[in-house]
Amino acid sequence: MKKPLIVIAGPTACGKTGLSIKLAKLINGEIISGDSMQVYKYMDIGTAKATKEEMNGIKHYMIDEFYPDEEFNVTIFQKKSKEYMEKIYSENKIPILCGGTGFYINALVNDNDFTETENDYTFRNSLYKFAEDNGAEALHKKLEQIDPESAKNIHPNNIKRVARAIEFFELTKTPISKHNENEKQKTSPYNTAFIILNMDRAKLYDRIEKRIDIMVENGLIEEVKKLLDMGYSEDLVSMQGIGYKEIVPYIKGECSLDYAISELKKATRHFAKRQITWFKRQTEGLWVDLSVQSEDEALKTIENYIKELGII
């Protein structure tokens, strides 16, 4: 019998965190963050981590696990998340995977195999250096030449994933897109309830802009400055995350605060759009429109769905 797994996914700022905590209270669940940035210590405001008060006593995993200069990737995420799932199962609770990093979520849900290739850190670091010297677009063009399908799906600014795709091809002579397609054909080892939250685009964009204004009020600029003062380079993969790379130029005196915030809002809107596109293409499940349902109504819809699947 397959073990249960609930996924709450969707674009940034759509309300995943609050709803997942309410769901966890309702069904005796614990939450694993499916976010590639919340895993880093000291990066709280820019990653929109739930506060202790917001967590409302619900245990959260894959938050504050690594320092900003430590290696973190989908393989590490998958391994640690599976360990936490076993711990949650052992306590007769249900794991709720909550986040917007679709690549990480699918890797866990489908138990994708990332272990068959070795890592070549020297080659990977040379790609990071190439991007640093020549720009992210130049590195992305390298990927386009060997794996156009991956190049279409990976944003040029995601240097970590671009480099990994090039490294995979270097090691296996197989495009990682082909490998991922093969992995997608696998049947999930879990009884998965996949819930994707969404809302009217204009409403979502308004929520994004308001949330960023609140982040700035709550100390986002100070958080980024503190990270730089602690010695964390702006070139780190963690510091290239949305919410950090847009603020660094302001701190360095290269642009105004208004311009930095405007760039952050624009980048976040584009990111949300890409997330929605990704989930529409990659996943099947229950889509919940929070433009037409309140949070409580959505919670009832989700409860009925997971009952139908025999999870509760």
Side-chain angles (χ1 to χ4, degrees):
M1 189 172 174
K2 291 183 177 181
K3 291 179 178 177
L5 172 62
I6 297 170
V7 178
I8 303 288
T12 188
C14 72
K16 297 184 296 295
T17 299
L19 200 145
S20 66
I21 291 167
K22 282 191 173 182
L23 181 63
K25 282 280 186 188
L26 183 68
I27 65 165
N28 193 29
E30 292 188 338
I31 295 170
I32 298 171
S33 171
D35 185 290
S36 62
M37 288 292 295
Q38 292 188 354
V39 73
Y40 294 114
K41 298 175 189 285
Y42 314 128
M43 305 180 90
D44 303 329
I45 299 169
T47 65
K49 282 177 196 167
T51 63
K52 288 291 181 191
E53 292 72 28
E54 288 167 339
M55 288 180 185
N56 199 13
I58 297 296
K59 179 73 176 171
H60 282 62
Y61 301 90
M62 295 308 288
I63 290 178
D64 290 337
E65 297 262 348
F66 295 91
Y67 291 99
D69 56 356
E70 285 187 290
E71 174 79 8
F72 180 66
N73 55 43
V74 69
T75 311
I76 296 169
F77 167 80
Q78 185 191 53
K79 180 177 182 293
K80 287 188 72 71
S81 295
K82 285 163 81 171
E83 290 169 1
Y84 287 138
M85 286 172 70
E86 288 307 314
K87 179 178 181 293
I88 294 167
Y89 292 137
S90 73
E91 296 170 357
N92 294 315
K93 295 183 178 181
I94 299 172
I96 300 171
L97 179 60
C98 176
T101 307
F103 180 59
Y104 282 26
I105 290 170
N106 269 13
L108 186 59
V109 169
N110 298 322
D111 198 22
N112 294 144
D113 182 11
F114 297 100
T115 60
E116 64 185 50
T117 58
E118 293 298 319
N119 292 309
D120 185 342
Y121 293 111
T122 303
F123 180 68
R124 191 185 306 179
N125 288 333
S126 75
L127 294 174
Y128 291 159
K129 183 73 168 63
F130 178 86
E132 187 181 330
D133 294 341
N134 300 280
E137 290 284 353
L139 183 66
H140 194 258
K141 279 189 167 47
K142 281 180 175 283
L143 179 59
E144 278 180 358
Q145 291 165 7
I146 58 173
D147 187 355
E149 188 61 29
S150 288
K152 275 196 299 187
N153 293 326
I154 304 175
H155 194 276
N157 285 346
N158 195 337
I159 293 169
K160 181 167 68 172
R161 279 193 62 202
V162 172
R164 176 59 182 148
I166 297 171
E167 178 193 357
F168 186 92
F169 186 83
E170 178 72 14
L171 290 167
T172 66
K173 304 309 175 193
T174 303
I176 200 169
S177 57
K178 184 170 176 55
H179 168 76
N180 291 342
E181 189 58 40
N182 291 338
E183 288 294 317
K184 273 169 59 182
Q185 305 309 315
K186 288 183 176 179
T187 304
S188 174
Y190 307 106
N191 180 13
T192 306
F194 210 124
I195 297 118
I196 306 104
L197 306 183
N198 200 7
M199 63 176 56
D200 172 75
R201 192 69 58 90
K203 184 177 179 181
L204 179 63
Y205 286 178
D206 183 57
R207 283 172 63 97
I208 285 169
E209 300 216 352
K210 285 177 178 171
R211 184 163 81 166
I212 289 169
D213 289 338
I214 291 168
M215 284 178 173
V216 173
E217 287 174 19
N218 287 347
L220 176 62
I221 312 304
E222 292 75 13
E223 179 171 279
V224 180
K225 187 175 187 307
K226 182 183 175 185
L227 285 159
L228 293 170
D229 289 345
M230 290 171 77
Y232 293 114
S233 166
E234 64 183 284
D235 298 321
L236 289 170
V237 170
S238 59
M239 292 292 281
Q240 288 295 307
I242 294 173
Y244 296 88
K245 64 179 169 51
E246 295 83 6
I247 301 300
V248 169
Y250 164 68
I251 292 171
K252 293 169 68 178
E254 296 171 359
C255 69
S256 69
L257 180 57
D258 284 347
Y259 179 80
I261 293 170
S262 172
E263 287 296 293
L264 174 52
K265 288 178 176 178
K266 182 168 72 175
T268 308
R269 289 194 303 269
H270 289 171
F271 177 53
K273 186 178 178 182
R274 291 198 304 276
Q275 286 176 302
I276 293 166
T277 301
W278 199 96
F279 284 117
K280 281 181 176 175
R281 189 177 64 244
Q282 296 286 340
T283 56
E284 294 179 5
L286 174 70
W287 283 77
V288 177
D289 188 341
L290 292 172
S291 305
V292 296
Q293 284 192 314
S294 69
E295 191 179 69
D296 286 342
E297 288 169 338
L299 197 61
K300 191 66 186 171
T301 301
I302 292 166
E303 184 185 5
N304 290 336
Y305 178 62
I306 59 181
K307 277 180 180 174
E308 286 173 16
L309 293 174
I311 289 176
I312 58 171

